[in-house]
Amino acid sequence: MNVSIKRMSAIFQKDLKDFSRNLAVSVVIFLPLFIAAIYSRMGVDSLASHYMIFNMTFALTATYVQCCLIAEEKEKNTLRGLMLSPASTADILGGKSLLSFVLTMLIIFFSAVLAEYQPANIAIVALALVLSSFFYIAVGTLLGLWAKSVMESSVIVLPVLGIFSFGSFAVPLAEQYPILKVLVYFPNHQLFEIATKVELGTAIGSMWSHFAIILLWTLVAVALTVIVYRKQTKD
């Protein structure tokens, strides 16, 4: 599949303009920064609090912003124009995801700075964060393709915010409610497990299963997104 950097760049620039004009969406990305600043002043520096902020960033920026951008394109019928253009599926989905990825990484970086989070191994943590961002962006794209309007996209993304931002806090209840054991395999918890092992100085070889689970979630989300996107191109 051919990928055009020029086309992706053009889509990125258009999304950046649309994002800057939509205050209802753009203001949301500052919430993790606000929470990180408050936690820092309160002296809250536990690993769980740091990754609650990071997972919230994924849900609000990588998923919510991405979902709204796609839904807005659909609502304005400009997404159909992109589908009918010479741009490939990779050009369109990659270009539409680029802004969300850049914003997500920036918010995570500044949140870490504000919360004074310094991982023992930045490379491993960075790799896990980047891989996780791909999953959340794919979910945002998928939900955006399903949504019929920006208003609807704001509603259907709420379960993602609740489950993937705060789901890890329900894991200790798994002994009492066995159904909650499934939360252990969610990407947000796997990310936290990687971070925990990094702080313990565990060798990266023992973390491959956590990376594999996050990668599997990402591949499934990307595959579903491509299937739904291609189906809509034929409608």
Side-chain angles (χ1 to χ4, degrees):
M1 183 181 294
N2 294 326
V3 178
S4 172
I5 301 299
K6 185 176 181 180
R7 287 170 181 163
M8 290 179 62
S9 177
I11 295 173
F12 170 79
Q13 293 177 32
K14 176 184 177 301
D15 282 349
L16 183 58
K17 291 179 181 178
D18 292 341
F19 174 78
S20 62
R21 294 168 184 165
N22 193 338
L23 292 178
V25 176
S26 58
V27 73
V28 170
I29 68 173
F30 295 104
L31 180 59
L33 296 175
F34 178 70
I35 295 176
I38 291 179
Y39 278 4
S40 177
R41 294 182 65 87
M42 292 176 59
V44 179
D45 60 351
S46 67
L47 200 61
S49 65
H50 293 321
Y51 279 83
M52 186 273 288
I53 294 172
F54 294 160
N55 286 316
M56 181 181 293
T57 301
F58 285 134
L60 290 177
T61 307
T63 301
Y64 176 73
V65 170
Q66 179 73 1
C67 182
C68 289
L69 288 174
I70 297 293
E72 186 176 19
E73 291 277 13
K74 285 186 63 180
E75 193 172 11
K76 294 179 178 178
N77 288 322
T78 52
L79 182 60
R80 184 167 297 276
L82 283 174
M83 290 177 173
L84 297 174
S85 71
S88 66
T89 301
D91 291 338
I92 297 173
L93 295 182
K96 297 295 296 181
S97 303
L98 192 55
L99 177 62
S100 297
F101 175 75
V102 172
L103 289 174
T104 300
M105 292 298 102
L106 286 175
I107 297 300
I108 284 180
F109 172 76
F110 286 112
S111 295
V113 171
L114 288 172
E116 299 180 354
Y117 171 55
Q118 297 179 344
N121 191 317
I122 296 178
I124 295 177
V125 171
L127 177 61
L129 290 170
V130 169
L131 181 59
S132 296
S133 72
F134 293 156
F135 164 73
Y136 287 93
I137 291 172
V139 171
T141 305
L142 181 61
L143 294 177
L145 290 171
W146 274 340
K148 296 180 176 63
S149 65
V150 176
M151 182 65 70
E152 184 177 332
S153 69
S154 301
V155 175
I156 64 176
V157 81
L158 291 178
V160 176
L161 177 61
I163 294 173
F164 294 110
S165 294
F166 307 105
S168 294
F169 293 105
V171 171
L173 300 176
E175 292 296 329
Q176 184 176 358
Y177 304 100
I179 193 174
L180 295 179
K181 289 182 179 180
V182 69
L183 296 175
V184 174
Y185 299 99
F186 278 25
N188 56 319
H189 186 74
Q190 295 299 311
L191 176 62
F192 180 71
E193 288 293 318
I194 292 173
T196 301
K197 289 186 176 181
V198 165
E199 296 306 315
L200 293 175
T202 308
I204 189 173
S206 65
M207 305 178 197
W208 71 268
S209 60
H210 303 300
F211 278 101
I213 292 174
I214 297 175
L215 179 60
L216 181 60
W217 277 92
T218 303
L219 292 176
V220 171
V222 170
L224 289 174
T225 300
V226 172
I227 290 171
V228 172
Y229 174 83
R230 289 182 174 175
K231 182 179 182 298
Q232 292 195 6
T233 62
K234 297 176 182 179
D235 289 344

